[in-house]
């Protein structure tokens, strides 16, 4: 379990900056996640209090938006395109390979925290399908061998 007290100064600074702004919840959540890498569970009571909301309302917004995370991020994020063009060029088989190689589902993080999987529905590289994004870098014309190599590099903590 992460030490959420490390993020208290960040949380207090963000709340002070945005608490009087109308519609401040989303900007607060974005700022905390940008600074900490995720929205710590311990921040929820403070956010709720600062905005005069219930904790359930704050948690509801966090859980509604898929881009908010409540656990520390993995060291690497792999987003495999699952749109039609990539599907037609083997993305489903690549997804199955990832699930098997990492022993997790499409939205999971490896047990060692090395890599998270996230499906995405179009990376704009349809002419070069199948495609994926690894730590923000696009990789196209992915083969099973190339995918295995990329993932192994992440698991060995090489620069992917």
């Amino acid at each position: 379990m992460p030490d959420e007290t490390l993020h208290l100064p960040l949380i207090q600074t963000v709340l002070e900056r945005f608490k009087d702004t109308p519609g401040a919840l989303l900007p607060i959540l974005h700022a905390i996640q940008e600074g900490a890498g995720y929205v710590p569970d311990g921040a929820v009571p403070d956010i709720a209090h600062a905005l005069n909301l219930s904790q359930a309302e704050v948690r509801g917004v966090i859980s509604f938006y898929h881009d908010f995370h409540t656990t520390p991020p993995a060291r690497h994020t792999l987003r495999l395109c699952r749109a039609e063009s990539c599907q037609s060029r083997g993305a489903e088989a690549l997804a199955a390979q990832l699930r098997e190689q990492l022993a997790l589902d499409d939205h999971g993080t490896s047990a060692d925290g090395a890599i998270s999987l996230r499906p995405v529905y179009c990376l704009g590289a349809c002419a070069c399908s199948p495609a994926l994004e690894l730590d923000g870098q696009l990789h196209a014309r992915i083969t099973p061998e190339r995918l295995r190599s990329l993932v192994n590099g992440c698991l060995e903590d090489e620069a992917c």
Side-chain angles (χ1 to χ4, degrees):
M1 169 118 338
D3 182 5
E4 295 183 354
T5 60
L6 296 173
H7 303 297
L8 286 176
L10 165 71
I11 293 164
Q12 294 307 315
T13 300
V14 169
L15 290 175
E16 211 34 60
R17 185 173 59 197
F18 288 107
K19 71 179 180 179
D20 296 322
T21 304
L25 181 54
L26 285 175
I28 286 171
L29 294 173
H30 281 291
I32 290 172
Q33 181 159 293
E34 184 177 319
Y38 68 110
V39 180
D41 190 58
V44 172
D46 294 335
I47 296 168
H49 182 264
L51 299 179
N52 197 28
L53 298 170
S54 70
Q55 290 185 37
E57 289 173 297
V58 176
R59 290 183 202 288
V61 170
I62 293 168
S63 66
F64 179 80
Y65 292 102
H66 298 289
D67 287 334
F68 290 125
H69 305 287
T70 56
T71 57
R75 291 185 300 277
H76 305 284
T77 300
L78 190 152
R79 298 179 351 133
L80 179 64
C81 182
R82 305 294 285 281
E84 290 81 4
S85 178
C86 288
Q87 280 183 30
S88 72
R89 303 285 301 189
E92 290 306 316
L94 295 174
Q97 176 183 328
L98 285 169
R99 288 189 297 268
E100 182 180 330
Q101 184 177 4
L102 297 171
L104 47 88
D105 69 18
D106 289 336
H107 291 273
T109 298
S110 60
D112 62 0
I115 189 166
S116 285
L117 295 181
R118 302 285 181 261
V120 64
Y121 295 91
C122 197
L123 291 168
C126 301
C128 304
S129 297
L132 64 81
E133 182 185 270
L134 182 57
D135 296 337
Q137 182 178 357
L138 182 68
H139 297 267
R141 295 187 178 96
I142 297 298
T143 62
E145 297 78 19
R146 194 156 161 235
L147 178 60
R148 188 169 288 104
S149 176
L150 286 168
V151 170
N152 285 341
C154 290
L155 295 175
E156 294 166 5
D157 212 18
E158 297 174 3
C160 298

